[in-house]
Amino acid sequence: MAETTAIETGEKKKFPKSLALLSLVLALAGAGGGFFVAYQGLVPGDKKPTPEMAEKNTSSTQLPEDLGFVALDPLVISLGQNSGLNLRFRAQLEIREKNRQEVEKILPRIIDVLNSYLRALDIQDIDEVSSLVKLRSQMLRRIQVVAGVERVQDLLIMEFVVN
């Protein structure tokens, strides 16, 4: 029981300076080696782009050949009963060309469903930063219910202005 520890006597153990210096040198060497390996492209799966790869990447982002767009008539909607604000809305539907005639045939129904949805909005529904994303998804869902999911791929909002 006569043993005393460094904590009990108040002594502090010192970290050897040589060990700290060795740690710093090893850390710098590891970082330099990692940079060299990555810079030289020696990391598996990390390849420098070649012209063939660049061509492949651009071709994979091309739009399908039968992609088309149908413009919707612009809408002007009164927001709220006493706000005095109007919403100007203009959009296009992304479709496949094979479905163009069917979609154009039901455009009055699509405009009706958009008109009904937008007229039910309050200014608070539009004020949020992320509101356009939510509104767009709600409108697209309603359009797809009317037109069919296979006929309308997306809704592109061209104008959404409150004044």
Side-chain angles (χ1 to χ4, degrees):
M1 299 267 179
E3 295 178 24
T4 59
T5 62
I7 295 174
E8 292 173 356
T9 60
E11 296 177 17
K12 293 183 180 177
K13 290 186 178 182
K14 294 186 177 180
F15 191 70
K17 290 183 182 179
S18 60
L19 190 55
L21 185 59
L22 179 64
S23 298
L24 180 64
V25 169
L26 288 175
L28 289 174
F35 174 77
F36 177 76
V37 168
Y39 185 75
Q40 292 298 321
L42 302 174
V43 178
D46 186 28
K47 298 181 180 177
K48 293 181 180 177
T50 61
E52 294 83 22
M53 290 174 70
E55 184 178 313
K56 181 181 176 185
N57 286 341
T58 57
S59 66
S60 66
T61 59
Q62 287 179 349
L63 299 173
E65 290 181 22
D66 68 336
L67 183 70
F69 298 96
V70 174
L72 300 177
D73 293 336
L75 300 174
V76 178
I77 310 288
S78 298
L79 295 175
Q81 295 176 352
N82 298 323
S83 70
L85 297 174
N86 293 322
L87 168 67
R88 281 193 337 239
F89 176 80
R90 192 169 53 91
Q92 293 192 14
L93 302 175
E94 181 178 312
I95 60 162
R96 301 275 187 229
E97 282 298 330
K98 65 182 180 181
N99 298 324
R100 178 175 291 278
Q101 287 182 335
E102 295 168 334
V103 171
E104 287 177 346
K105 191 174 185 178
I106 59 170
L107 273 179
R109 285 183 184 235
I110 293 171
I111 295 294
D112 177 62
V113 78
L114 289 175
N115 224 341
S116 300
Y117 176 71
L118 291 172
R119 286 201 186 277
L121 294 178
D122 286 326
I123 193 66
Q124 294 83 12
D125 299 328
I126 299 174
D127 279 344
E128 295 179 33
V129 175
S130 62
S131 63
L132 190 57
V133 175
K134 293 175 189 175
L135 294 173
R136 182 179 165 275
S137 66
Q138 288 290 324
M139 289 185 282
L140 177 60
R141 180 68 191 129
R142 285 166 168 73
I143 291 168
Q144 288 177 333
V145 166
V146 170
V149 176
E150 69 282 352
R151 291 190 183 113
V152 177
Q153 276 66 48
D154 206 355
L155 172 68
L156 307 170
I157 297 178
M158 311 309 287
E159 184 177 16
F160 195 89
V161 178
V162 177
N163 57 10

